[in-house]
Amino acid sequence: MNVYDSARMADVLKPLGYRPTETPADADMVILNTCHIRDRAAEKVFSELGRLRVIKQARAAEGRATVLAVAGCVAQAEGAEILARAPYVDIVLGPQTYHRLPEMVARAARAGGAVIETDFPVEQKFDFLPDATGPQLPGGVTAFLTVQEGCDKFCSFCVVPYTRGAEASRPAASVIAEARRMVAGGVREISLLGQNVNAYHGAGSGGGADESSWSLARLMRALAEIPGLVRIRYTTSHPRDMGEDLIAAHRDLPALMPFLHLPVQSGSDRMLNAMNRGHTADDYRRLIERLRTARPDLAFSSDFIVGHPGETDADFAASMALIRDIGFAQAYSFKYSSRPGTPAAGAPMPVAGPVGDERLQQLQALVRVQQDQFNASSVGQTMEVLFTGHGRKPGQLSGRSPYLQAVHAAGPDQLIGTTAMVKIEQMLTNSLTASLLSPVPTRPIPTRANPLLERACA
Ligand code: 5AD
Ligand code: SF4
């Protein structure tokens, strides 16, 4: 989401004459877009600021001013501390205030002191940001699109509800219009983003039947009709919001990729309860079964936390058991990191650091085995790849499988931006090699107009 947000900040600054530079030394303004999810991410900000201070001073010696801004969730949570520790910062802005950036830049130029904006404005930033026009990377074939932000789940360990704010969805018409612009700009795969994306409940376009709230499934059904959009993904989901219609979307929509990131955090009911997750390990197992019934080739990824306060050896063993039961194609795992202001930060029975390290190692080793098994099972298979660019070797293309695996194959440049069938030949450490089966795109760009969509975007 920070990648998407950074592109939107560039959009909002363009009318002021700003454009991206290659290095901070060339920049009249530097924005650090920050993450507060774990302690280590937040600490990076201060070491990065130290480096930027040196650049700012060197430029000042040459008579060039540098506006230094800190955006994102560290700015939201630690705005005052940033200004105390790094008084050379000019602007501190939280994630819900990016649309006010031009005004802040003007104020920073006028004022001697720093400008700080970390409230949650009543207006929605998406109503005020200029239209996003294409992929986040020039010539990009894949793009992110934020449809929902914030979270009301209040998991014990998590800062998101405090830094991104309450759960809010963008109207369906605005999302569809943005997706159409992206596709017109060459995008073929869109990943819908939200901290709690499957809680999406966007307003319709305000006319007739569209007035009712749109679920994520309904939104994706409309997006799947956009000519030229061949792949849709969404992340990140909460097990509690995996509704029947979303499961049915996995059954019905070929454009919806068969790879789902569904964080479970722990396999122990005791821990899931302490984490305020609102589901049990068996609820999760049953949900995976229902999804697999709807779409048998669906592969799963998840997030795990080890060492949450109170986690015993037995709780950890339950997480390992759940991983063995499900069989993940991939998973992210983290050692619990205490975040100020969250309920778990003051919880009794903290887990000792080395115990957490040991558990993390064990869990990651198991996930690695499963991931290797999953990738090895791809060898010999025929699958569709979306080619996104060149590989490192001459004549080589790189792309992604439906399961987000990196795939390399020899092929002509005109395949970039299209999907083609390949046979997977070999598994390397972080990618697969393949040979082309069809020299022409398997899914040419359709031109069919869609009356439903025209209405949704009216
Ligand atoms: N400590 C460790 N991991 C965390 N996550 C969120 N908050 C914390 C924390 N305090 C992890 C969760 C979440 C992912 C984005 O980051 O697993 O799903
Ligand atoms: Fe954080 Fe996700 Fe829990 Fe929301 S559902 S509080 S974003 S971990």
Side-chain angles (χ1 to χ4, degrees):
M1 186 171 281
N2 274 8
V3 171
Y4 176 84
D5 282 346
S6 299
R8 304 311 306 274
M9 284 191 262
D11 289 341
V12 82
L13 289 170
K14 212 185 276 172
L16 276 72
Y18 286 101
R19 62 189 164 77
T21 66
E22 291 294 325
T23 67
D26 292 335
D28 298 321
M29 167 153 58
V30 178
I31 306 176
L32 280 190
N33 197 6
T34 64
C35 176
H36 200 242
I37 195 85
R38 286 171 292 276
D39 195 31
R40 223 190 277 172
E43 269 310 311
K44 267 197 215 160
V45 178
F46 288 101
S47 60
E48 199 62 39
L49 278 174
R51 267 195 290 278
L52 289 170
R53 175 192 204 171
V54 176
I55 293 174
K56 186 171 172 158
Q57 282 168 342
R59 282 173 53 93
E62 296 164 5
R64 294 190 294 170
T66 313
V67 178
L68 194 48
V70 181
C73 291
V74 177
Q76 185 67 42
E78 298 184 14
E81 195 185 337
I82 289 170
L83 292 180
R85 277 173 73 174
Y88 45 91
V89 168
D90 302 288
I91 299 174
V92 169
L93 70 160
Q96 301 308 332
T97 64
Y98 298 153
H99 56 297
R100 296 182 177 176
L101 197 46
E103 172 203 326
M104 290 181 230
V105 173
R107 267 167 47 209
R110 277 198 311 271
V115 173
I116 178 160
E117 289 254 6
T118 50
D119 53 349
F120 292 105
V122 279
E123 78 269 13
Q124 291 285 309
K125 71 175 173 208
F126 289 112
D127 293 340
F128 290 85
L129 284 169
D131 289 344
T133 47
Q136 282 86 36
L137 291 173
V141 174
T142 62
F144 296 124
L145 201 176
T146 294
V147 302
Q148 178 280 336
E149 264 197 271
C151 186
D152 294 339
K153 296 282 192 294
F154 291 94
C155 297
S156 61
F157 49 82
C158 184
V159 287
V160 166
Y162 312 98
T163 56
R164 286 266 170 185
E167 208 254 287
S169 298
R170 288 175 65 186
S174 142
V175 171
I176 294 167
E178 187 167 324
R180 288 170 78 100
R181 283 193 299 272
M182 285 179 163
V183 174
V187 168
R188 297 290 166 258
E189 172 181 301
I190 293 181
S191 297
L192 304 176
L193 299 184
Q195 274 84 30
N196 212 173
V197 72
N198 60 342
Y200 178 83
H201 57 278
S205 58
D210 283 341
E211 235 168 313
S212 63
S213 162
W214 283 47
S215 66
L216 184 67
R218 187 177 175 194
L219 181 69
M220 292 196 296
R221 282 178 194 273
L223 293 174
E225 298 286 341
I226 296 179
L229 181 60
V230 294
R231 288 185 167 188
I232 301 171
R233 303 179 185 277
Y234 61 93
T235 197
T236 292
S237 295
H238 194 291
R240 255 160 67 195
D241 293 317
M242 253 2 261
E244 210 48 63
D245 65 339
L246 192 49
I247 295 174
H250 280 280
R251 182 192 62 210
D252 299 339
L253 296 178
L256 180 54
M257 289 295 98
F259 182 76
L260 180 62
H261 182 60
L262 193 58
V264 61
Q265 313 297 355
S266 169
S268 149
D269 288 347
R270 225 175 58 80
M271 279 298 103
L272 289 167
N273 188 39
M275 289 174 168
N276 192 31
R277 292 285 296 175
H279 61 83
T280 64
D282 279 348
D283 289 340
Y284 187 83
R285 287 185 178 88
R286 277 190 293 269
L287 179 56
I288 298 284
E289 271 319 301
R290 281 163 63 213
L291 282 155
R292 281 187 167 144
T293 305
R295 178 90 201 230
D297 62 340
L298 198 51
F300 294 92
S301 142
S302 197
D303 287 344
F304 290 90
I305 294 180
V306 300
H308 182 280
E311 187 187 67
T312 62
D313 284 343
D315 294 318
F316 174 65
S319 290
M320 297 289 274
L322 180 115
I323 296 172
R324 282 190 202 96
D325 287 350
I326 305 281
F328 290 98
Q330 152 191 333
Y332 301 93
S333 46
F334 313 98
K335 190 167 112 171
Y336 168 75
S337 166
S338 176
R339 309 311 291 131
T342 58
M349 296 171 61
V351 172
V355 175
D357 290 333
E358 169 61 28
R359 288 179 187 166
L360 189 63
Q361 261 184 26
Q362 279 187 44
L363 192 147
Q364 288 180 341
L366 176 58
V367 166
R368 184 80 220 179
V369 168
Q370 294 196 341
Q371 186 175 325
D372 286 349
Q373 274 169 356
F374 179 78
N375 289 333
S377 74
S378 301
V379 176
Q381 275 193 41
T382 297
M383 56 175 82
E384 195 179 65
V385 167
L386 174 63
F387 286 105
T388 52
H390 293 108
R392 262 190 239 134
K393 296 186 192 147
Q396 196 188 47
L397 302 178
S398 77
R400 294 272 168 186
S401 78
Y403 306 104
L404 269 184
Q405 296 149 301
V407 179
H408 293 105
D413 280 10
Q414 59 265 38
L415 283 182
I416 295 172
T418 68
T419 53
M421 293 306 287
V422 304
K423 183 170 175 226
I424 304 296
E425 304 286 359
Q426 210 188 344
M427 173 180 126
L428 306 178
T429 319
N430 294 311
S431 64
L432 302 169
T433 59
S435 54
L436 276 180
L437 290 181
S438 57
V440 291
T442 44
R443 283 206 262 174
I445 309 312
T447 50
R448 176 169 47 104
N450 173 10
L452 175 81
L453 213 83
E454 298 307 325
R455 205 178 60 237
C457 297

